[in-house]
Amino acid sequence: MKDSNILDIPKLHFEIEAKSKEIGFTMPSDLFIGTLLKTLITSKPKSNLLELGTGIGLSLSWMIDGMDSDSKLVTIDNDPKLTEIAKSYFGTDERVEIICADGSEWIKNYSGEKFDLVFADAWPGKYSEIDEILELIKVGGFYIIDDMLAQPNWPEGHQENVNKLIEYLENRKDFNLTKLNWSTGIVIATRKN
């Protein structure tokens, strides 16, 4: 088996990747997390999905490809330039809401339906507001984070943040946890009944 032989890359992915290079966006999601997100989302028909950290929309393209027509997705980023780019690609999809906001404030103020899957690819929902975001996941729902293996763009001392987060998640009794030493280092947690 060759995991790098990925055959179902979203149509817009290459265009978004080119745009990413054009504007110098240096934090794109890789293909592996994208294909995993697409596969997991496909297992959740009529789902309510959340992405924290839209970035330029690379992982969003995978998530949308995995959604059925009855699912909905909210994606949040605090960078207006990036959210405008994401809207230029996905703004006409009625299933998708792209919000430019502070993720911490959004999480603290959210009072809607719980989520079937949360992909936390930003500080809020990953290193801050972790309790709040985990409470927003339905039983059987997924909490997914990446970048748990050392990355070249990490600031000094960030490994300690990662270690604390992993330890915290390992000690939660209301989630089953799988740590994958694959892609950029992925954690998948599923809420238990």
Side-chain angles (χ1 to χ4, degrees):
M1 178 179 75
K2 189 172 183 183
D3 63 357
S4 61
N5 187 26
I6 299 170
L7 303 175
D8 59 347
I9 296 172
K11 291 180 186 127
L12 285 173
H13 192 274
F14 296 108
E15 192 177 328
I16 298 169
E17 202 170 43
K19 185 70 173 176
S20 185
K21 289 177 182 152
E22 176 190 317
I23 68 165
F25 182 67
T26 59
M27 297 184 292
S29 296
D30 74 1
L31 292 174
F32 295 115
I33 187 65
T35 189
L36 177 65
L37 287 167
K38 179 178 178 176
T39 299
L40 293 176
I41 287 169
T42 301
S43 78
K44 299 287 187 185
K46 299 180 182 178
S47 58
N48 188 32
L49 310 165
L50 175 64
E51 178 184 39
L52 297 164
T54 312
I56 197 165
L58 284 169
S59 55
L60 180 59
S61 70
W62 287 95
M63 294 175 79
I64 290 170
D65 255 24
M67 293 169 62
D68 68 6
S69 60
D70 294 320
S71 292
K72 57 187 177 187
L73 187 153
V74 174
T75 182
I76 299 167
D77 203 288
N78 65 354
D79 186 325
K81 182 179 178 184
L82 295 179
T83 54
E84 283 307 309
I85 292 169
K87 283 178 183 176
S88 74
Y89 292 112
F90 307 110
T92 59
D93 190 327
E94 292 181 1
R95 303 170 301 164
V96 179
E97 183 178 4
I98 301 167
I99 298 172
C100 184
D102 176 272
S104 295
E105 290 304 312
W106 188 90
I107 292 167
K108 289 175 189 172
N109 292 310
Y110 179 77
S111 61
E113 178 186 343
K114 289 189 176 191
F115 295 98
D116 295 284
L117 182 144
V118 172
F119 175 46
D121 195 20
W123 193 272
K126 194 179 206 177
Y127 299 107
S128 67
E129 291 75 46
I130 184 77
D131 288 327
E132 292 90 340
I133 206 65
L134 292 178
E135 286 305 313
L136 292 176
I137 297 173
K138 293 177 185 177
V139 171
F142 296 114
Y143 172 74
I144 302 162
I145 52 176
D146 63 350
D147 301 331
M148 294 291 102
L149 295 174
Q151 302 295 305
N153 61 349
W154 277 7
E156 189 174 326
H158 185 63
Q159 184 65 54
E160 188 177 329
N161 296 323
V162 171
N163 295 346
K164 285 180 183 174
L165 175 59
I166 297 293
E167 183 180 0
Y168 172 80
L169 291 170
E170 288 172 336
N171 288 310
R172 292 279 304 220
K173 302 299 181 212
D174 52 345
F175 281 83
N176 283 327
L177 188 71
T178 296
K179 298 169 282 188
L180 300 171
N181 191 14
W182 174 77
S183 177
T184 61
I186 296 171
V187 172
I188 302 171
T190 306
R191 188 173 196 82
K192 298 193 293 190
N193 196 352

